[in-house]
């Protein structure tokens, strides 16, 4: 606010000068602006001029361009950024000034988050009077719900098609995300930024109040408060086009410039019993596959809290894995269990489709034939009356061989909930599977499977794939005044609820794997779940996460709110943390030195092909500031989560995901004061006149230099 005050207090001189420089630079080119700045700067230092003119907005998130085989979606600015006079829109009536009445277009709109919906965006999309948009976060969350995702997520890439269950294709029977507006899948030709900091939002509003508020229905006087947004994207049209350009650049250019990158990362997986990761598993060995997704998405880049859509399920999955590993007789189970965490599922099942592809091509230790049954945890935090719904595929249940196996799977799950505060109910036989990774496996093979969710039909989650899918959405509440360490340890009601689900899942997996003993001792730990929820939703940089990761990865624990976008640089923070949390919960501390842990082949009996070894930081020593590191042995592995379309160079594929993200040069936003066109022209003319005068004066002075600058004779020196 101090910076804003400085700008606002110099309306007579500095603000006008500054705004002239900005306006000239933006609209008249750099040379006149530079001359003008030099003439008026006076004794001011050059490196402080920009700080006197602009107020940068540092806590923003842009809408960026994504592309698939046929379309481009998202937003971008012009190559030099887009500028407009700020107008605050807090109710729909305020749009009239922007769309029709305002005398100073184009406008840069500060839009209240409650108005960020499809109806308003379609109005803004169809006019040249809007140069960009800054969206503030609605407080509280929109009560009617907000989801910029599709009503039928991942449509066309699941199992249902004209050849398999056509009556269920395109969500014909069930619209899974009824509040989905599809905004994230629209293409906007102007920049749209999210304002993450309420203080910066207030600075913009104050600038607007000081300079831009209309008086008596007439336009405000100059100078006006303006905003400039930079988010120019390099890729256009589609993945086919941008990947072809990448290929041409790589082939013919000495310094190739990539314009887009595939969305990619790594899947995280482990097994209950160790397997040789470098060999193929015996076809006779059976595995229960447990799966969930670990990524989310929203309209804005890297804003993907995913509390209900992703975190609730993978945290429950992790807790179930821990509970099962603690069972005393797990080494006696007839079937193995594979815990799988898929990345990129938001974008047409990137992770699961790649694992299926690798299994089919013998590039993975398991084959599809090894999978005995499939259990997937989907959205599970918003249960009504403690009911967890079991979804199955109605088409595969028509198969006489598969149906009894599915029935047994459902019976085991139902029986495992006896005595727990969770009631499992089967969804009607005529309903399709919800969007799930299991669908990609069904495309390849009839596998008995079930998807567990908190919704019978449409999602309970009213903020699916949005910035509002936050801890508040799953009722995570903490008492006031807790320190970060106290909050990390505080067991919330949400953690207790998810622990009950994890307990039921772990007990069911034990039975499915052939366990015959009493399962009452298999119990998920609410404390572990509350730590995971805190770390994955509120603050990654906490003492527990610090203790379980490698020393060279401590940089991933930033102070920002955790986000779970798949991105293009891998592995992302979420992948690393899921990997090390899983290793911590299911692995074993072994007595190896740092050298042996980092190079297990140098130590005896380490079975490197069977296990992964990680040297982690450990907790702080109570008596010092140093840590006590140790070596963890686990079966946790990573596998590539890159769509097979890019492996096959089939960029126009309709079988596999083709999503790419455009590259860009810079992303930034700033506000400043802008002068009237008339003053800009006057300033330019005066600047040119001064330049011409300077040139003439310089020429005259140079021509008369011998007269003006001659050395006078010494009066005492006389020549005879």
């Amino acid at each position: 606010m101090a910076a804003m005050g400085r700008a606002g207090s110099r309306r007579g001189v500095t603000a006008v000068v500054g705004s002239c420089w900005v306006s000239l630079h933006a609209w008249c080119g750099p040379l006149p602006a530079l001359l003008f700045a030099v003439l008026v700067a006076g004794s001011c230092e050059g490196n402080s001029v920009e700080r006197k003119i602009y107020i940068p907005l540092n806590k923003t998130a842009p809408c960026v361009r994504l592309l698939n085989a046929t379309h481009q979606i998202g937003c971008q600015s012009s190559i030099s950024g887009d500028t407009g006079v700020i107008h605050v829109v807090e109710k729909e009536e305020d749009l009239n000034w922007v769309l029709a009445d305002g005398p100073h277009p184009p406008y840069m709109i500060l839009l209240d988050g409650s108005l960020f919906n499809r109806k308003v965006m379609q109005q803004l999309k169809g006019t040249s009077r809007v140069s960009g948009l800054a969206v503030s976060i609605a407080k509280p969350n929109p009560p009617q719900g907000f989801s910029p995702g599709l009503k039928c997520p991942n449509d066309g890439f699941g199992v249902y098609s004209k050849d398999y269950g056509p009556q269920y294709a395109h969500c014909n029977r069930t619209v899974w995300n009824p509040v989905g507006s599809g905004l994230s899948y629209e293409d906007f030709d102007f920049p749209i930024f999210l304002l993450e900091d309420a203080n910066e939002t207030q600075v913009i509003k104050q600038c607007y109040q000081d300079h831009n508020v209309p008086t008596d229905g007439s336009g405000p006087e100059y100078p006006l408060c303006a905003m400039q947004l930079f988010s120019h994207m390099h890729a256009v049209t589609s993945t086919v086009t941008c990947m072809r350009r990448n290929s041409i650049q790589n082939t013919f250019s000495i310094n190739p410039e990539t314009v887009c990158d595939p969305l990619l990362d790594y899947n995280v997986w482990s097994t209950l019993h160790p397997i040789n990761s470098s060999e193929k598993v015996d076809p006779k060995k059976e595995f229960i596959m447990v799966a969930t997704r670990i990524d989310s998405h929203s309209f804005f880049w890297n804003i993907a809290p995913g509390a209900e859509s992703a975190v609730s399920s993978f945290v429950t999955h992790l807790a179930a894995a821990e509970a099962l590993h603690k069972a005393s007789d797990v080494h006696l189970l007839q079937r193995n269990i594979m815990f799988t965490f898929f990345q990129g599922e938001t974008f047409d099942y990137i992770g699961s489709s790649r694992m299926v592809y690798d299994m089919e091509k013998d590039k993975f230790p398991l084959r599809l034939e090894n999978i005995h049954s499939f259990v997937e945890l989907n959205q599970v935090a918003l249960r009504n009356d403690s009911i967890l719904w079991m979804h199955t595929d109605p088409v595969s249940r028509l198969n006489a061989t598969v149906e009894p196996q599915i029935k047994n799977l459902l019976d085991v799950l139902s029986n495992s909930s006896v005595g727990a505060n969770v009631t499992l109910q089967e969804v009607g036989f005529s309903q399709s599977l919800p969007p799930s990774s299991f669908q990609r496996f069904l495309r390849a093979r009839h596998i008995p499977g079930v998807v567990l969710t908190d919704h019978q039909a449409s999602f309970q989650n009213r903020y699916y794939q949005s910035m509002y899918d936050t801890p508040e959405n799953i009722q995570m509440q903490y008492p006031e005044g807790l320190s970060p360490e106290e909050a990390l340890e505080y067991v919330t009601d949400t953690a207790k609820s998810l622990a009950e689900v994890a307990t039921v899942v772990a007990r069911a997996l034990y039975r499915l794997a052939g366990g015959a003993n009493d399962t009452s001792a298999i119990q998920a730990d609410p404390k572990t779940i509350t730590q995971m929820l805190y770390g994955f939703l509120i603050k990654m940089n906490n003492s527990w996460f610090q203790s379980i990761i490698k020393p060279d990865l401590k940089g991933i624990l930033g102070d920002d709110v955790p986000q779970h976008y798949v991105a293009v640089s891998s592995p992302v923070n979420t992948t690393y943390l899921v990997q090390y949390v899983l290793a911590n919960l299911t692995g074993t501390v072994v007595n190896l030195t740092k050298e042996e842990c980092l190079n297990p082949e140098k130590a005896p009996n380490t079975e490197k092909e069977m296990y992964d070894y990680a040297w982690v930081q450990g907790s702080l020593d109570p008596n010092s500031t140093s840590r006590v590191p140790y070596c963890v042995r686990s079966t946790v592995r990573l596998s590539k989560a890159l769509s097979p379309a890019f492996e096959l160079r089939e960029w126009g594929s309709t079988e596999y995901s083709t999503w790419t993200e455009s590259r860009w040069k810079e992303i930034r936003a700033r506000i400043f004061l802008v002068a009237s066109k008339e003053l800009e022209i006057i300033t330019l003319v005066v600047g040119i006149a001064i330049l011409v005068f300077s040139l003439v004066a310089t020429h005259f002075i140079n021509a008369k230099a011998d007269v003006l600058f001659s050395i006078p004779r010494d009066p005492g020196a006389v020549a005879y």
Side-chain angles (χ1 to χ4, degrees), residues 411-444:
D411 289 342
V412 170
L413 280 164
S414 297
N415 293 335
S416 298
S417 67
V418 174
N421 190 26
V422 178
T423 304
L424 276 88
Q425 291 190 16
E426 184 181 350
V427 174
F429 192 84
S430 61
Q431 184 170 288
S432 66
L433 286 169
S436 51
S437 305
F438 180 41
Q439 293 200 32
R440 291 301 303 193
F441 285 80
L442 280 177
R443 284 176 71 128

Side-chain angles (χ1 to χ4, degrees), residues 137-312:
I137 298 175
K139 297 286 185 181
N141 293 353
Q144 72 278 12
F146 173 77
S147 172
L150 299 172
K151 293 182 182 297
C152 188
N154 290 358
D155 186 25
F157 290 86
V159 68
Y160 302 109
S161 66
K162 60 182 178 62
D163 301 317
Y164 187 99
Q167 67 272 34
Y168 305 112
H170 312 300
C171 299
N172 283 338
R173 294 282 181 90
T174 306
V175 178
W176 296 107
N177 185 29
V179 298
S181 65
L183 268 183
S184 289
Y185 297 85
E186 293 279 341
D187 184 39
F188 296 92
D189 60 0
F190 52 79
I192 304 177
F193 279 52
L194 176 68
L195 300 173
E196 299 181 73
D197 188 344
N199 292 328
E200 288 189 343
T201 302
Q202 189 55 43
V203 167
I204 300 171
K205 288 184 177 181
Q206 188 61 51
C207 187
Y208 168 80
Q209 291 290 336
D210 291 344
H211 300 281
N212 294 12
V213 175
T215 55
D216 300 325
S218 61
E221 296 181 0
Y222 286 97
L224 300 175
C225 192
M227 183 184 295
Q228 191 170 29
L229 302 178
F230 297 83
S231 62
H232 181 68
M233 300 288 127
H234 293 176
V236 295
T237 308
S238 67
T239 290
V240 175
T241 300
C242 79
M243 291 301 291
R244 185 175 65 244
R245 290 179 178 175
N246 286 352
S247 180
I248 293 172
Q249 285 275 335
N250 292 331
T251 303
F252 297 106
S253 177
I254 298 175
N255 298 307
E257 182 178 339
T258 301
V259 296
C260 70
D261 300 282
L263 296 181
L264 77 150
D265 203 78
Y266 287 89
N267 298 321
V268 182
W269 64 276
S270 73
T271 53
L272 186 65
H273 303 150
I275 63 172
N276 191 325
S277 61
S278 61
E279 295 180 359
K280 298 293 174 289
V281 171
D282 186 336
K284 296 180 182 178
K285 289 186 177 294
E286 294 182 329
F287 285 74
I288 314 296
M289 179 173 274
V290 195
T292 191
R293 53 183 270 191
I294 58 175
D295 68 297
S296 188
H297 179 45
S298 79
F299 186 88
F300 299 98
W301 183 76
N302 205 30
I303 299 296
E308 160 73 340
S309 61
V311 177
S312 68

